[in-house]
Amino acid sequence: MKKIIPFLLICISSQAQITLENTYPTGSQNYLGVINLSSSGYKYMESDTDHIAIYNMNHTLFKNILIPINNVGFTYYQVQYVSEELFNTNAADVEYTFIYADFSSVIHFRIIDESGNILFARDTFAFGGIQGDGFAQFNIAYTTNGVKMLLRKYSGSSEVYSLPGILSCNECSSGVISGIAPTNSNGTIQQAMPLPYPNPTNSTTTINYQLPASATTGEMVFYDLTGREVKRVTVTRAFTSVLITAADLAAGTYYYELQTNVGVVPGNKIIVQ
């Protein structure tokens, strides 16, 4: 008996670390998931045939978005890739993909913004990559030639589309999935720098930054959509922002990161007009 009691105490202590935070009223036709928005960060998302509800991490409502498609006759539907900057370069609103099948079993693919505008429409096509747990995987991916979207027609053909925005994730640096979240030398995860301002710009823009502990200097490194380095600017601990001129950059989208001797701080994207 003396050997069993410590084991029971350990079990009770371990179970006590897992606590219920909140309950969402999801039914059999909708689901709850975690998403990562490029500007607003991590959120909970619950969707149904007629709406998307996005909640802050403290479970307060962030946005409630109506899906502007008549859901009468749906035999299948799915919301995927909820994003702020993947399907356009405007971080002020949310866009998402909506896939549904009508009563004739015809598949419809739509990209819609939170105001109800349809940004892209393709019928008889849907995501063509691997899928699991209700969320698509590898259907939208970062490449050295920009972010790509893969659609497949179930009669056999597939299509590749270039997307204008950034693929947001917690394991990215300059839009590149590294497989390891950027960390300091002490093992703490580096948070991404905020968006520059103004952005877009045609002259100059300001980037706020904070050097990691033990780093006295660093370099703000800029890349084009192919991953080629186009600019490098030295920064120091004496300041917390740097003014970047865009006069030497062609119009387009660029990604930047802060490189230091103790690690890399993931950056964001800048649009030059």
Side-chain angles (χ1 to χ4, degrees):
M1 190 68 182
K2 292 182 179 179
K3 293 182 179 180
I4 297 176
I5 292 175
F7 175 75
L8 292 175
L9 290 175
I10 292 172
C11 290
I12 294 171
S13 177
S14 298
Q15 291 175 352
Q17 296 174 15
I18 301 175
T19 58
L20 175 65
E21 284 190 19
N22 194 61
T23 299
Y24 290 85
T26 54
S28 60
Q29 297 298 313
N30 54 348
Y31 59 86
L32 181 72
V34 175
I35 59 175
N36 184 11
L37 300 177
S38 57
S39 293
S40 301
Y42 286 98
K43 306 289 181 185
Y44 298 103
M45 185 200 77
E46 176 266 328
S47 69
D48 207 336
T49 55
D50 60 355
H51 79 276
I52 298 171
I54 303 176
Y55 298 87
N56 297 307
M57 296 309 290
N58 64 359
H59 308 293
T60 58
L61 183 66
F62 175 66
K63 286 186 178 182
N64 188 57
I65 301 171
L66 297 180
I67 298 174
I69 296 176
N70 190 328
N71 60 18
V72 175
F74 281 3
T75 59
Y76 166 85
Y77 74 93
Q78 192 168 49
V79 174
Q80 298 172 317
Y81 287 105
V82 179
S83 171
E84 286 177 314
E85 297 177 273
L86 180 58
F87 304 109
N88 62 26
T89 56
N90 179 16
D93 65 353
V94 168
E95 304 83 40
Y96 57 95
T97 64
F98 186 64
I99 302 170
Y100 67 98
D102 60 24
F103 61 89
S104 300
S105 298
V106 176
I107 294 291
H108 304 275
F109 180 89
R110 301 290 185 267
I111 298 177
I112 310 171
D113 68 17
E114 67 178 59
S115 298
N117 301 307
I118 296 178
L119 307 180
F120 178 88
R122 195 76 171 97
D123 294 327
T124 72
F125 278 77
F127 282 131
I130 300 171
Q131 296 193 23
D133 297 331
F135 292 94
Q137 301 168 14
F138 311 124
N139 299 303
I140 295 180
Y142 174 86
T143 76
T144 53
N145 292 318
V147 181
K148 307 299 181 182
M149 179 174 71
L150 309 181
L151 296 183
R152 177 176 178 268
K153 188 174 185 178
Y154 287 91
S155 61
S157 60
S158 296
E159 297 175 341
V160 178
Y161 293 86
S162 293
L163 299 181
I166 183 172
L167 182 62
S168 178
C169 72
N170 65 328
E171 296 181 347
C172 292
S173 178
S174 300
V176 182
I177 300 176
S178 64
I180 301 176
T183 60
N184 283 330
S185 58
N186 61 6
T188 59
I189 296 177
Q190 281 291 305
Q191 299 299 317
M193 289 176 284
L195 285 167
Y197 60 93
N199 188 29
T201 181
N202 57 10
S203 56
T204 61
T205 189
T206 299
I207 298 177
N208 291 326
Y209 67 90
Q210 183 176 358
L211 286 172
S214 304
T216 56
T217 62
E219 290 183 304
M220 203 77 68
V221 184
F222 297 80
Y223 304 89
D224 63 17
L225 289 178
T226 69
R228 180 177 64 92
E229 182 181 323
V230 296
K231 190 181 184 71
R232 187 176 285 257
V233 178
T234 300
V235 296
T236 70
R237 192 172 291 281
F239 302 95
T240 58
S241 65
V242 59
L243 184 67
I244 302 295
T245 178
D248 55 347
L249 298 175
T253 300
Y254 299 88
Y255 301 102
Y256 61 89
E257 65 184 9
L258 176 58
Q259 296 181 359
T260 76
N261 63 307
V262 297
V264 175
V265 180
N268 224 303
K269 96 180 154 180
I270 176 174
I271 300 171
V272 177
Q273 296 178 329

